[in-house]
mmCIF file of all heavy atoms in Angstrom:
data_model
loop_
_atom_site.group_PDB
_atom_site.id
_atom_site.type_symbol
_atom_site.label_atom_id
_atom_site.label_comp_id
_atom_site.label_asym_id
_atom_site.label_seq_id
_atom_site.Cartn_x
_atom_site.Cartn_y
_atom_site.Cartn_z
ATOM 1 N N LEU A 315 224.234 -155.992 6.851
ATOM 2 C CA LEU A 315 225.386 -155.100 6.979
ATOM 3 C C LEU A 315 226.692 -155.879 6.999
ATOM 4 O O LEU A 315 227.699 -155.441 6.430
ATOM 5 C CB LEU A 315 225.241 -154.262 8.252
ATOM 6 C CG LEU A 315 224.057 -153.279 8.228
ATOM 7 C CD1 LEU A 315 223.776 -152.739 9.623
ATOM 8 C CD2 LEU A 315 224.332 -152.136 7.261
ATOM 9 N N VAL A 316 226.675 -157.028 7.647
ATOM 10 C CA VAL A 316 227.874 -157.877 7.649
ATOM 11 C C VAL A 316 228.210 -158.324 6.234
ATOM 12 O O VAL A 316 229.377 -158.365 5.839
ATOM 13 C CB VAL A 316 227.669 -159.097 8.578
ATOM 14 C CG1 VAL A 316 228.752 -160.155 8.346
ATOM 15 C CG2 VAL A 316 227.695 -158.655 10.037
ATOM 16 N N GLY A 317 227.177 -158.631 5.438
ATOM 17 C CA GLY A 317 227.414 -159.053 4.060
ATOM 18 C C GLY A 317 228.171 -158.015 3.259
ATOM 19 O O GLY A 317 229.066 -158.341 2.475
ATOM 20 N N GLY A 318 227.838 -156.749 3.443
ATOM 21 C CA GLY A 318 228.562 -155.696 2.746
ATOM 22 C C GLY A 318 229.950 -155.474 3.318
ATOM 23 O O GLY A 318 230.923 -155.303 2.579
ATOM 24 N N ALA A 319 230.048 -155.472 4.639
ATOM 25 C CA ALA A 319 231.328 -155.190 5.285
ATOM 26 C C ALA A 319 232.361 -156.285 5.016
ATOM 27 O O ALA A 319 233.563 -156.010 4.935
ATOM 28 C CB ALA A 319 231.129 -155.025 6.790
ATOM 29 N N VAL A 320 231.912 -157.532 4.878
ATOM 30 C CA VAL A 320 232.842 -158.629 4.602
ATOM 31 C C VAL A 320 233.528 -158.433 3.250
ATOM 32 O O VAL A 320 234.740 -158.623 3.111
ATOM 33 C CB VAL A 320 232.110 -159.991 4.655
ATOM 34 C CG1 VAL A 320 232.945 -161.080 4.001
ATOM 35 C CG2 VAL A 320 231.826 -160.374 6.094
ATOM 36 N N LEU A 321 232.750 -158.044 2.238
ATOM 37 C CA LEU A 321 233.356 -157.771 0.938
ATOM 38 C C LEU A 321 234.320 -156.598 1.028
ATOM 39 O O LEU A 321 235.386 -156.594 0.407
ATOM 40 C CB LEU A 321 232.271 -157.485 -0.109
ATOM 41 C CG LEU A 321 231.894 -158.670 -1.013
ATOM 42 C CD1 LEU A 321 231.269 -159.785 -0.198
ATOM 43 C CD2 LEU A 321 230.915 -158.225 -2.106
ATOM 44 N N ASP A 322 233.951 -155.584 1.815
ATOM 45 C CA ASP A 322 234.813 -154.408 1.961
ATOM 46 C C ASP A 322 236.138 -154.749 2.626
ATOM 47 O O ASP A 322 237.201 -154.308 2.180
ATOM 48 C CB ASP A 322 234.088 -153.331 2.776
ATOM 49 C CG ASP A 322 233.181 -152.473 1.922
ATOM 50 O OD1 ASP A 322 233.580 -152.122 0.802
ATOM 51 O OD2 ASP A 322 232.071 -152.144 2.370
ATOM 52 N N ILE A 323 236.100 -155.516 3.713
ATOM 53 C CA ILE A 323 237.340 -155.789 4.434
ATOM 54 C C ILE A 323 238.264 -156.694 3.610
ATOM 55 O O ILE A 323 239.481 -156.558 3.658
ATOM 56 C CB ILE A 323 237.045 -156.403 5.827
ATOM 57 C CG1 ILE A 323 238.311 -156.316 6.700
ATOM 58 C CG2 ILE A 323 236.553 -157.845 5.717
ATOM 59 C CD1 ILE A 323 238.051 -156.708 8.147
ATOM 60 N N TYR A 324 237.672 -157.579 2.826
ATOM 61 C CA TYR A 324 238.486 -158.422 1.950
ATOM 62 C C TYR A 324 239.207 -157.563 0.914
ATOM 63 O O TYR A 324 240.409 -157.693 0.684
ATOM 64 C CB TYR A 324 237.583 -159.445 1.261
ATOM 65 C CG TYR A 324 238.290 -160.406 0.331
ATOM 66 C CD1 TYR A 324 239.020 -161.469 0.839
ATOM 67 C CD2 TYR A 324 238.219 -160.256 -1.048
ATOM 68 C CE1 TYR A 324 239.659 -162.370 -0.011
ATOM 69 C CE2 TYR A 324 238.854 -161.134 -1.904
ATOM 70 C CZ TYR A 324 239.575 -162.189 -1.381
ATOM 71 O OH TYR A 324 240.209 -163.070 -2.228
ATOM 72 N N SER A 325 238.469 -156.644 0.306
ATOM 73 C CA SER A 325 239.059 -155.793 -0.732
ATOM 74 C C SER A 325 239.976 -154.729 -0.146
ATOM 75 O O SER A 325 240.955 -154.336 -0.777
ATOM 76 C CB SER A 325 237.951 -155.124 -1.549
ATOM 77 O OG SER A 325 237.245 -156.094 -2.304
ATOM 78 N N SER A 326 239.679 -154.248 1.057
ATOM 79 C CA SER A 326 240.563 -153.253 1.665
ATOM 80 C C SER A 326 241.926 -153.858 1.970
ATOM 81 O O SER A 326 242.959 -153.186 1.847
ATOM 82 C CB SER A 326 239.938 -152.676 2.934
ATOM 83 O OG SER A 326 239.886 -153.622 3.981
ATOM 84 N N GLY A 327 241.941 -155.146 2.350
ATOM 85 C CA GLY A 327 243.224 -155.814 2.571
ATOM 86 C C GLY A 327 244.035 -155.906 1.298
ATOM 87 O O GLY A 327 245.249 -155.672 1.289
ATOM 88 N N LEU A 328 243.369 -156.221 0.181
ATOM 89 C CA LEU A 328 244.063 -156.282 -1.105
ATOM 90 C C LEU A 328 244.559 -154.906 -1.529
ATOM 91 O O LEU A 328 245.651 -154.762 -2.086
ATOM 92 C CB LEU A 328 243.125 -156.852 -2.170
ATOM 93 C CG LEU A 328 242.720 -158.320 -1.999
ATOM 94 C CD1 LEU A 328 241.641 -158.698 -3.008
ATOM 95 C CD2 LEU A 328 243.927 -159.244 -2.146
ATOM 96 N N ALA A 329 243.757 -153.869 -1.258
ATOM 97 C CA ALA A 329 244.179 -152.506 -1.598
ATOM 98 C C ALA A 329 245.393 -152.093 -0.778
ATOM 99 O O ALA A 329 246.295 -151.411 -1.279
ATOM 100 C CB ALA A 329 243.025 -151.532 -1.369
ATOM 101 N N MET A 330 245.442 -152.501 0.486
ATOM 102 C CA MET A 330 246.594 -152.186 1.330
ATOM 103 C C MET A 330 247.860 -152.812 0.762
ATOM 104 O O MET A 330 248.926 -152.168 0.700
ATOM 105 C CB MET A 330 246.368 -152.701 2.758
ATOM 106 C CG MET A 330 247.558 -152.445 3.689
ATOM 107 S SD MET A 330 247.433 -153.280 5.289
ATOM 108 C CE MET A 330 246.141 -152.309 6.055
ATOM 109 N N LEU A 331 247.761 -154.053 0.308
ATOM 110 C CA LEU A 331 248.922 -154.716 -0.285
ATOM 111 C C LEU A 331 249.360 -154.005 -1.559
ATOM 112 O O LEU A 331 250.544 -153.798 -1.799
ATOM 113 C CB LEU A 331 248.581 -156.176 -0.604
ATOM 114 C CG LEU A 331 248.180 -157.070 0.568
ATOM 115 C CD1 LEU A 331 247.957 -158.498 0.086
ATOM 116 C CD2 LEU A 331 249.221 -157.050 1.660
#
Side-chain angles (χ1 to χ4, degrees):
L315 294 166
V316 167
V320 164
L321 261 64
D322 275 319
I323 196 172
Y324 181 77
S325 292
S326 69
L328 293 172
M330 178 190 288
L331 299 183

